[in-house]
């Protein structure tokens, strides 16, 4: 979502304000929190020993063009038999004192929330868009990951430590894609594609899943908002692979002391290619992002859906391989990919301590142990995951403030994630209703992308234009399942029967 440059129309502004009130979204930071943030921005604290000086490494960031809360900066280089990934993560613990008013406010907010007319940040902007953000305007404290890969993109050694870094360039996805496609990117940036493609292939080998489904995006245009379908650029996927690589490395570090795995080797963090050594010990505590494997019944339902949509799914072809063969621009494939999102529901956070490995340690879509640790400016749990990874790599016990909050983090994150999802969907619903409120009775072209199993007359239709995805009901429109079954994956003409910005409700019926 992008922030508007002109005032939001009054009805939309009122609807968005109502949504925030319903979700209990905090607006202003309390004065004591702002005062603490100002002091921290002037004098960051030193969490741990003296930080490593990595200011000679020319880091760069890759984000949407309007982003100013920059969590990650990277530098990529070749080694004699592979690659070196340096990934700097904003060190929020250098600014937030445990138990302070600033810390308590972050626990209340949990995540940054994005609305079309404003952003509700996790931390005050003086930190999240200033002193803690990895902007290219000076030296910043960071948690620096150095991950060596072999020629196939497999990790061979990992090191994580506190450091001082300095970004040299703030890049955006479209500009990065243009440079790489044109062959004009310098090697540290050009390697994003090379390493990204290798990591995507390793994801295939693991059986991991990345759903490439075009998403609705709210854009500001001519003083109001519109919806567009946006398919991620390849560069976004390559960038995501660097984040996934780091999240997997962090999970392995946390688990290694508890499971007795891990090589106990580290890597040098200077500009050379030498290696160092780590201790390989620790206390076995962590927080993982986990997702159980889909039950057999869910996969069976998907196979029936594939058959109904005339998608060939041979029994020897895995679910992950099938996903990668589909074209989201084809209606039948888009409908099937929409159904596939049901298998990715149910993700949560799993805590362990004292070396007691949990029963579930993997994320089914990643197909490996994984944790959230690369977005601490925007997500509360990442600050804790960074501390746990640092402790595990150093062979030390995690800080007491981390262990004290560990058990309550999953529930807090679940609530914050739920609120963020409601905010995102609520914003889209409001904009859809506002776009269509004067068009009730008109006909549109769309595709049925979802049909309720128990109520086949009720489902979801995706319009070709405008970029609306909304409920559709056949029959009497009561949603009782007694209408004519909807044709999943088929294009059809639909009539808009309701568009109410006040309730954010949009409803279609087959024409």
């Amino acid at each position: 979502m992008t922030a508007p440059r002109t005032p939001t129309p009054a009805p939309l502004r009122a609807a968005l304000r109502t949504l925030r009130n319903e979700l209990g979204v905090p607006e202003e930071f309390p004065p004591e929190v702002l005062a603490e943030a100002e002091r921290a921005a002037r004098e960051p604290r030193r969490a741990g020993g003296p930080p490593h000086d990595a200011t000679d490494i020319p880091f760069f960031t890759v984000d949407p063009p309007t982003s100013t809360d920059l969590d990650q900066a990277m530098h990529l280089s070749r080694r004699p038999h592979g690659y070196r990934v340096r990934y700097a993560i904003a060190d929020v613990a250098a600014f937030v004192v445990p138990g302070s008013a600033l810390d308590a406010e972050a626990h209340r907010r949990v995540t940054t929330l994005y609305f079309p007319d404003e952003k509700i940040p996790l931390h005050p902007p003086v930190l999240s868009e200033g002193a803690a953000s990895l902007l290219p305007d000076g030296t910043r404290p960071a948690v620096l990951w150095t991950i060596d890969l072999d020629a196939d993109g497999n990790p061979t050694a990992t090191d994580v430590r506190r450091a001082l870094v300095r970004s040299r360039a703030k890049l955006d996805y479209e500009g990065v894609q243009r440079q790489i496609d044109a062959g004009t990117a310098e090697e540290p940036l050009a390697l994003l594609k090379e390493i990204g493609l290798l990591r995507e292939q390793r994801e295939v080998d693991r059986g991991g899943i990345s759903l490439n489904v075009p998403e609705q995006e709210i854009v500001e245009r001519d003083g109001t908002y519109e919806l567009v379908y946006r398919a991620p650029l390849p560069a976004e996927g390559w960038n995501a692979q660097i984040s996934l690589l780091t999240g997997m490395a962090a999970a392995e570090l946390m688990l290694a002391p508890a499971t007795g795995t891990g090589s106990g080797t580290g890597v040098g963090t200077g500009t050379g290619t030498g290696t160092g050594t780590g201790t390989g010990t620790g206390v076995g505590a962590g927080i993982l992002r986990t997702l159980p494997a889909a039950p057999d019944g869910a996969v069976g339902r998907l196979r029936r859906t594939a058959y109904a949509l005339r998608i060939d799914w041979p029994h020897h072809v895995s679910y992950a391989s099938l996903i990668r063969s589909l074209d989201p621009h084809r209606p039948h494939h888009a409908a099937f990919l929409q159904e596939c999102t049901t298998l990715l529901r149910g993700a949560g956070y799993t805590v362990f301590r004292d070396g007691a490995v949990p029963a579930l340690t993997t994320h089914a879509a990643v197909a490996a142990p994984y944790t959230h640790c690369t977005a601490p400016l925007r997500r509360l749990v990442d600050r804790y995951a960074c501390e746990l990874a640092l402790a595990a790599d150093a062979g030390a016990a995690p800080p007491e403030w981390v262990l004290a909050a560990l058990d309550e983090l999953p529930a807090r994150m679940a609530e914050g994630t739920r609120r963020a999802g409601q905010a995102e969907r609520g914003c889209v619903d409001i904009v859809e209703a506002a776009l269509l409120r004067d068009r009730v009775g008109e006909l549109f072209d769309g595709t049925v992308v979802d049909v309720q199993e128990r109520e086949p007359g009720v489902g979801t239709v995706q319009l070709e234009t405008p970029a609306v995805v909304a409920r559709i009901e056949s029959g009497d429109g009561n949603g009782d399942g007694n209408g004519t079954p909807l044709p999943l994956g088929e294009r059809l003409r639909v009539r808009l029967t309701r568009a109410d910005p006040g309730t954010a409700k949009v409803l279609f019926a087959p024409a």
Side-chain angles (χ1 to χ4, degrees), residues 196-227:
L197 290 175
L198 286 172
R199 292 302 301 169
E200 287 177 351
Q201 186 56 51
R202 300 292 74 77
E203 182 179 74
V204 172
D205 297 343
R206 295 193 310 271
I209 300 162
S210 294
L211 288 180
N212 183 25
V213 183
E215 297 179 349
Q216 288 172 290
E217 184 176 79
I218 299 173
V219 297
E220 188 272 333
R221 192 170 293 153
D222 298 329
T224 188
Y225 299 110
E226 294 182 2
L227 285 162

Side-chain angles (χ1 to χ4, degrees), residues 309 331-332 334-336 338-339 446-452 456 458-463 470 472 485-492 494 510:
L309 292 171
H332 286 62
F336 184 76
Q338 188 65 37
E339 290 293 302
T447 301
V448 177
V449 295
D450 179 65
V451 174
Q452 294 187 16
V458 178
T460 303
V461 64
Q462 178 176 314
L463 302 192
I472 181 172
L486 295 167
L488 181 63
E490 298 289 342
R491 279 197 174 98
L492 76 165
V494 297

Side-chain angles (χ1 to χ4, degrees), residues 42-106:
R42 291 192 299 269
E43 298 180 13
R45 72 192 190 100
R46 199 175 265 185
H52 172 72
D53 187 351
T55 54
D56 59 326
I57 300 172
F59 287 97
F60 59 88
T61 59
V62 185
D63 293 274
T66 58
S67 294
T68 50
D69 48 352
L70 309 184
D71 291 284
Q72 315 104 10
M74 74 177 76
H75 182 269
L76 309 174
S77 58
R78 294 189 188 277
R79 300 178 65 244
H81 304 290
Y83 308 90
R84 173 159 290 176
V85 174
R86 295 184 180 92
Y87 206 42
I89 307 301
D91 189 1
V92 174
F95 300 92
V96 179
V97 176
S100 65
L102 184 56
D103 185 35
E105 184 67 13

Side-chain angles (χ1 to χ4, degrees), residues 141-221:
V143 176
L144 176 57
W145 290 85
T146 304
I147 304 174
D148 283 348
L149 308 175
D150 64 19
D152 295 322
N154 296 301
T156 59
T158 299
D159 177 273
V160 58
R161 62 181 67 189
R162 286 198 149 84
L164 295 176
V165 302
R166 188 152 51 95
S167 175
R168 302 299 201 276
K170 180 179 182 292
L171 308 179
D172 64 81
Y173 291 117
E174 290 188 0
V176 165
Q177 192 70 57
R178 283 195 301 270
Q179 286 189 57
I180 291 177
D181 290 347
T184 59
E186 296 183 1
E187 183 173 85
L189 180 57
L191 285 175
L192 180 62
K193 177 180 180 179
E194 193 169 328
I195 295 173
L197 290 175
L198 286 172
R199 292 302 301 169
E200 287 177 351
Q201 186 56 51
R202 300 292 74 77
E203 182 179 74
V204 172
D205 297 343
R206 295 193 310 271
I209 300 162
S210 294
L211 288 180
N212 183 25
V213 183
E215 297 179 349
Q216 288 172 290
E217 184 176 79
I218 299 173
V219 297
E220 188 272 333
R221 192 170 293 153

Side-chain angles (χ1 to χ4, degrees), residues 175-320:
V176 165
Q177 192 70 57
R178 283 195 301 270
Q179 286 189 57
I180 291 177
D181 290 347
T184 59
E186 296 183 1
E187 183 173 85
L189 180 57
L191 285 175
L192 180 62
K193 177 180 180 179
E194 193 169 328
I195 295 173
L197 290 175
L198 286 172
R199 292 302 301 169
E200 287 177 351
Q201 186 56 51
R202 300 292 74 77
E203 182 179 74
V204 172
D205 297 343
R206 295 193 310 271
I209 300 162
S210 294
L211 288 180
N212 183 25
V213 183
E215 297 179 349
Q216 288 172 290
E217 184 176 79
I218 299 173
V219 297
E220 188 272 333
R221 192 170 293 153
D222 298 329
T224 188
Y225 299 110
E226 294 182 2
L227 285 162
V228 298
Y229 293 125
R230 182 181 175 279
L233 293 168
E236 294 177 67
W238 306 329
N239 190 60
Q241 286 296 329
I242 303 298
S243 180
L244 280 169
L245 170 68
T246 308
M248 293 165 64
E252 292 290 352
L253 277 177
M254 294 176 194
L255 287 166
T259 60
T261 61
S263 64
T265 61
V267 298
T269 55
T271 56
T273 58
T275 61
T277 58
T279 61
T281 62
V283 298
I287 183 165
L288 306 174
R289 182 65 167 167
T290 54
L291 174 68
D296 291 341
V299 177
R301 179 176 180 270
L302 276 182
R303 283 197 173 273
R304 293 193 296 274
T305 301
Y307 179 80
L309 292 171
R310 299 184 296 282
I311 292 174
D312 185 27
W313 187 358
H315 279 280
H316 68 276
V317 175
S318 70
Y319 167 65

